[in-house]
Amino acid sequence: MSGKKSLRVYLITHLDGRVTGILLRTTDTIFDSRPPSAWGPSEEDVLAQIEAQLHAMSATRDDSIERYLWDESFEARTITVHVHPQTTIKKQPVIGKRRIPLELSYLASRIPSGGFRLLVPRFNWRFIVEDLAVAPEVLENAVSTVLLGEEPRSLYDFRTEGAEHVREWSPRIQESREAFARRDDDDEFVTVRAVADELVERAAKQKLPIALGESPELDAAAKILERSPPPSILLVGEPGVGKTTWVYRLARRLLVQRREKSRRQVPRIWSTQADKILAGMKYLGMWQERCLDLVRELSHEGDYLFVGSLLPLLREQPDGTSIADVFAPALRSEEISLIAECTEAELLAAERRAASFVACFQIVRIAELAPAAVPALLGEYEARKDPKVTLHPAGKKRLVQHLSMFRRDVAFPGKAIRFYDWLSQDSDGREARADSGPRVLYPRDVSAAYARYSGLPIELIADEVPAGAKEIAARLTQRVIGQDDACATAAKVLARFKAGLDDPERPSGTLLFVGPTGVGKTELAKELTRAMFGDESRMVRLDMSEYAHPGSAHRLLEVGPGLTTLAQRVRQEPLSLVLLDEIEKACPEVFDVLLAMLGEGRLTDEEGRLVDFRMTLIVMTSNLGVADTRAVGFGEGDAANGTSLARVREHFRPELWNRIDHVVPFRALSRADVLRIVDLELTKVQARTGLLRKSLRLVVSPEARALLAELGYHPTRGARPLKRVIEELVITPIAARIAADATLRERDLVVAAEDGKIVLR
């Protein structure tokens, strides 16, 4: 037992390292709100948040600190309980026969007068038992009672969150002068201030981002904003048009009104997001209670709650409800006023999912700034930012050209401002200022900067750097052996991309690689990624055999934290190559998804948001029609014949086939091709750090090259085994020799063939 009374904080460390803390209360009544709790990156951060709540509680006298002081010590324990979840048989709810094991954590402490106290802080349960031996049975009965008649997904609420323990804590609880100075506001908006920033206050402190140019949409909405109570506003426009900037302009306009009128007559704008509202709300009823507190504090205040993107409000939580469900009654009765934003596609998705909720908003559409007006806006931005670099007028026009061609997923002016902010932080930019003033970037300099910014090779974006189809094909054939015709076709697509002649409403190119396994289809896709986007990591590779079963198409469109789906990766990096391996194995539902992607350059994810594929290069691979015509041993070097291409065409639906720009046949590799691939792989081996550091030179005899080519080629897998053969027969013996002889350096390592085996001399 602890002699001096102190606070007890129940702490749980989640799998992502974040920490949730709940202050334990000695007694509860049916009228109590939930005890102080917090969520943050560390225990100290959580304790600091709880201490702030205790200060507010002390100031408002909503609760007594005495109810949180303990002289007992708690031990965290975990048990396994078994429950029978509900199922449905012929539309009737039935308690299932199956017993589901659940891990449940609880706190136990010995009571001085006898017995044991059991607490389950996650659900605000408390029991007194005579002996700890009965604790598992008591808790199992409690869980079964709660879940009785509930949907099976309710089991989710009882999942184990992470390591749990109780910490004794003795902070100093006293009000600060600042708390007294802000008492009027804090007493009314405790929950609001915990999850939101007040933008009018930030505008008064000049902490809002710069707003450039004029806003005819805000002027047009002036009469709507003068209504009492203020209407809820839904800002609709493409990413980058300035929806959030519209809110910042409104905050500045309200600041001017505040200086002219009484403070209480001017609305506030509280800025938050769905993730902030849900942060730390891990347990039953916590996030709903927070939403209701927000409604209660903002009810009939005449303030705005700016919630950012609309769709996260509609996202179902584990209990099946959403933030929109909780806000909707107050929104319909105009007790509170929201400002949200979305794109046109998201608006359609929201209307399908929650039409009555969307109907509560007045829609204000924000138009994209015309490209011709962007240079003048950048001039205004330079004048207000005092930058280290400036753009020559011709450089501004070049930037607009690059952004229009290579960043179609974001609208003006947002994408231009983002580039300019990046430029001011660029390493060259930080060193650019001279005594004579900022450095001026001309068109060639802008192209070089944009190449660094986007990852696109300078030869593909700069008009001054020539890169025709022949030059591109020559570079591709250096790394992709034996497929000159395929490289030439792919090079034409890149040349079209450089010239800006690709269809702006479709992907930059759609290629179908057809040929035997192991002849270079994937290797050419990798080289195209390097040539087009500068880095092989820009390739999004999907094995379509994983999408062969009905219902698997939705996995392409899933979004959320930790997911690496097609929609998620392309949204994060629109400039990428999408490789769909073995496309013929995908189920028909996947082809329905591909039709929209190839035809319109866009997909709609599971939340209703558009994913832009207009800057991607789509490559599909297939070996359809090849198995029956494949020769045994090395091929003759002929491309796939007409019969095999006809079989490929028969497999795909006409509407999908017609969306493919080029069907590229790959031929079987000849002996000479495989020998060239051996040389290419050995050159890569020679460049490894272990050999370079010791100045060791790899010398391979012609007989060894021929034997490696023979061993590294398979009749049905092509040259795919070659890398493994070189690793086993060449690199592994060299590594063993280097490890055994520390003096081995500055020598020739001769790889020869003796009696049909590779030997190292």
Side-chain angles (χ1 to χ4, degrees):
M1 302 294 177
S2 176
K4 183 180 178 181
K5 286 189 175 183
S6 59
L7 302 176
R8 301 289 186 271
V9 183
Y10 168 71
L11 296 161
I12 176 169
T13 303
H14 303 285
L15 299 179
D16 61 357
R18 298 271 183 167
V19 178
T20 294
I22 302 176
L23 195 64
L24 299 182
R25 190 157 47 202
T26 57
T27 59
D28 279 322
T29 70
I30 60 174
F31 303 104
D32 282 334
S33 59
R34 293 195 66 86
S37 60
W39 179 76
S42 66
E43 287 189 13
E44 299 307 321
D45 181 74
V46 167
L47 294 178
Q49 295 181 57
I50 293 178
E51 184 171 0
Q53 295 176 45
L54 288 174
H55 281 299
M57 185 180 73
S58 177
T60 59
R61 296 177 176 82
D62 287 340
D63 203 349
S64 171
I65 191 66
E66 299 298 326
R67 299 178 63 202
Y68 295 87
L69 297 178
W70 295 83
D71 58 3
E72 302 174 21
S73 295
F74 288 91
E75 177 187 358
R77 299 188 174 198
T78 301
I79 61 171
T80 299
V81 299
H82 294 80
V83 296
H84 296 274
Q86 175 180 288
T87 185
T88 301
I89 299 178
K90 296 182 179 180
K91 300 184 179 181
Q92 295 295 323
V94 177
I95 304 301
K97 177 181 178 181
R98 183 183 177 192
R99 300 181 75 222
I100 303 297
L102 296 174
E103 285 193 350
L104 181 68
S105 296
Y106 69 97
L107 306 179
S109 70
R110 182 183 294 275
I111 302 174
S113 59
F116 294 86
R117 189 190 311 276
L118 306 181
L119 300 180
V120 185
R122 292 171 57 181
F123 313 113
N124 202 26
W125 294 349
R126 53 182 68 229
F127 308 95
I128 302 293
V129 297
E130 182 180 0
D131 193 285
L132 279 180
V134 303
E137 183 179 352
V138 171
L139 295 174
E140 183 166 349
N141 290 335
V143 174
S144 298
T145 302
V146 170
L147 291 178
L148 188 63
E150 294 294 325
E151 294 292 337
R153 65 184 175 190
S154 298
L155 296 174
Y156 174 85
D157 297 318
F158 289 86
R159 73 197 188 285
T160 300
E161 289 287 341
E164 305 175 25
H165 69 282
V166 176
R167 175 171 172 174
E168 294 189 17
W169 184 44
S170 300
R172 296 179 60 187
I173 309 301
Q174 58 182 8
E175 284 189 308
S176 64
R177 293 181 180 177
E178 181 181 0
F180 276 117
R182 294 192 342 191
R183 186 166 182 167
D184 290 341
D185 287 342
D186 285 351
D187 288 355
E188 298 178 45
F189 301 105
V190 174
T191 306
V192 175
R193 287 191 181 276
V195 300
D197 296 321
E198 212 285 275
L199 296 185
V200 180
E201 287 182 2
R202 292 181 64 83
K205 297 176 182 179
Q206 298 184 349
K207 291 185 177 181
L208 290 183
I210 295 174
L212 303 172
E214 302 297 328
S215 178
E217 294 88 356
L218 182 58
D219 296 335
K223 292 184 179 180
I224 299 177
L225 298 171
E226 291 174 358
R227 281 177 40 190
S228 181
S232 293
I233 302 294
L234 181 59
L235 304 172
V236 181
E238 296 308 305
V241 297
K243 299 186 292 294
T244 305
T245 301
W246 187 96
V247 180
Y248 294 155
R249 292 180 189 275
L250 177 59
R252 290 189 173 93
R253 184 168 295 188
L254 293 176
L255 175 62
V256 174
Q257 296 177 11
R258 176 177 293 182
R259 290 168 176 170
E260 297 172 352
K261 304 177 182 179
S262 169
R263 179 172 182 174
R264 281 295 184 186
Q265 296 177 352
V266 178
R268 303 175 181 87
I269 302 179
W270 302 97
S271 176
T272 187
Q273 295 177 348
D275 290 343
K276 287 185 177 180
I277 295 175
L278 297 173
M281 304 290 100
K282 295 288 185 178
Y283 312 118
L284 286 172
M286 289 181 69
W287 72 266
Q288 292 96 331
E289 184 176 347
R290 173 175 281 181
C291 290
L292 291 174
D293 287 342
L294 290 174
V295 171
R296 176 178 55 80
E297 293 176 7
L298 294 174
S299 181
H300 301 297
E301 287 289 331
D303 293 344
Y304 284 105
L305 182 64
F306 175 45
V307 293
S309 180
L310 176 68
L311 288 185
L313 299 184
L314 307 179
R315 185 184 302 145
E316 283 192 359
Q317 301 307 311
D319 63 353
T321 59
S322 66
I323 296 176
D325 293 332
V326 181
F327 281 164
L331 210 61
R332 296 189 189 102
S333 62
E334 297 188 330
E335 291 180 46
I336 63 172
S337 302
L338 301 186
I339 300 179
E341 58 185 46
C342 67
T343 65
E344 290 287 354
E346 292 169 355
L347 175 59
L348 293 175
E351 288 175 335
R352 288 194 298 267
R353 294 166 60 180
S356 61
F357 182 74
V358 176
C360 298
F361 291 87
Q362 292 279 345
I363 294 179
V364 175
R365 285 183 164 81
I366 312 295
E368 180 179 9
L369 183 68
V374 174
L377 192 75
L378 289 176
E380 180 184 347
Y381 195 56
E382 290 177 347
R384 298 176 66 176
K385 288 282 287 186
D386 187 26
K388 300 168 186 175
V389 294
T390 62
L391 305 185
H392 186 272
K396 292 186 177 72
K397 293 181 180 179
R398 175 66 63 86
L399 174 62
V400 172
Q401 173 187 330
H402 289 332
L403 291 171
S404 298
M405 290 179 60
F406 307 124
R407 201 64 210 244
R408 301 168 190 163
D409 61 317
V410 182
F412 286 117
K415 54 186 175 183
I417 299 301
R418 290 177 194 175
F419 172 80
Y420 210 100
D421 289 338
W422 171 87
L423 187 63
S424 64
Q425 300 297 325
D426 185 50
S427 57
D428 291 345
R430 286 197 298 270
E431 301 171 359
R433 182 181 284 276
D435 295 338
S436 58
R439 175 188 170 197
V440 178
L441 299 186
Y442 293 92
R444 182 185 292 267
D445 304 318
V446 171
S447 294
Y450 192 80
R452 296 195 303 274
Y453 173 71
S454 64
L456 294 171
I458 185 67
E459 57 266 21
L460 281 186
I461 67 173
D463 296 337
E464 301 86 3
V465 181
K470 291 184 179 180
E471 291 83 358
I472 297 174
R475 288 200 298 272
L476 294 177
T477 54
Q478 292 176 2
R479 301 289 297 272
V480 183
I481 306 302
Q483 307 297 345
D484 293 0
D485 292 341
C487 291
T489 301
K492 294 176 182 177
V493 174
L494 296 190
R496 186 181 66 185
F497 177 78
K498 173 180 173 60
L501 296 178
D502 52 322
D503 189 339
E505 298 304 319
R506 294 185 60 210
S508 300
T510 303
L511 304 174
L512 174 59
F513 291 170
V514 181
T517 299
V519 296
K521 299 190 296 295
T522 301
E523 190 62 33
L524 180 54
K526 292 179 180 179
E527 287 305 313
L528 282 174
T529 308
R530 297 188 188 101
M532 192 169 184
F533 305 115
D535 188 351
E536 188 180 320
S537 65
R538 293 280 188 93
M539 183 171 74
V540 180
R541 184 174 181 177
L542 299 178
D543 184 351
M544 302 313 292
S545 63
E546 299 178 4
Y547 301 86
H549 302 292
S552 60
H554 82 279
R555 292 194 287 116
L556 297 170
L557 308 176
E558 288 180 323
V559 292
L563 293 179
T564 56
T565 62
L566 177 64
Q568 193 90 332
R569 294 185 64 181
V570 173
R571 174 173 286 119
Q572 293 171 354
E573 184 49 77
L575 288 166
S576 57
L577 183 143
V578 177
L579 175 61
L580 306 177
D581 253 337
E582 298 184 294
I583 186 65
E584 74 278 2
K585 295 183 179 179
C587 72
E589 295 173 2
V590 171
F591 293 125
D592 293 335
V593 173
L594 295 182
L595 284 175
M597 183 177 74
L598 302 182
E600 303 172 5
R602 294 177 177 90
L603 279 183
T604 303
D605 67 21
E606 65 177 5
E607 290 190 342
R609 296 182 297 169
L610 280 182
V611 184
D612 200 317
F613 283 79
R614 292 178 296 171
M615 292 155 292
T616 62
L617 179 61
I618 310 296
V619 174
M620 300 174 283
T621 69
S622 174
N623 55 14
L624 277 171
V626 174
D628 296 338
T629 60
R630 182 70 184 273
V632 178
F634 291 106
E636 299 300 323
D638 295 331
N641 56 39
T643 302
S644 63
L645 290 182
R647 292 189 59 188
V648 175
R649 182 166 187 168
E650 290 174 1
H651 180 81
F652 295 106
R653 290 150 53 179
E655 56 268 31
L656 180 64
W657 181 267
N658 292 334
R659 285 169 167 81
I660 299 173
D661 295 331
H662 299 281
V663 179
V664 184
F666 281 64
R667 64 180 179 83
L669 297 175
S670 65
R671 184 182 298 274
D673 295 332
V674 180
L675 285 172
R676 290 178 59 195
I677 297 175
V678 169
D679 293 338
L680 185 63
E681 293 299 325
L682 292 175
T683 301
K684 295 178 183 178
V685 172
Q686 179 62 68
R688 295 195 181 186
T689 304
L691 297 180
L692 295 178
R693 187 174 61 242
K694 291 180 173 289
S695 300
L696 297 173
R697 296 169 296 275
L698 194 63
V699 179
V700 183
S701 69
E703 295 79 11
R705 289 174 61 247
L707 182 56
L708 288 172
E710 193 72 35
L711 297 174
Y713 184 85
H714 190 274
T716 60
R717 290 187 289 147
R720 188 161 290 175
L722 181 60
K723 289 185 179 181
R724 176 184 55 79
V725 169
I726 292 177
E727 289 284 341
E728 291 180 358
L729 301 183
V730 178
I731 298 175
T732 300
I734 291 176
R737 180 70 182 276
I738 292 176
D741 186 357
T743 64
L744 185 66
R745 59 177 58 250
E746 297 182 358
R747 299 183 190 176
D748 290 341
L749 299 176
V750 179
V751 179
E754 293 181 0
D755 300 328
K757 296 182 179 181
I758 298 295
V759 296
L760 176 65
R761 296 175 181 172

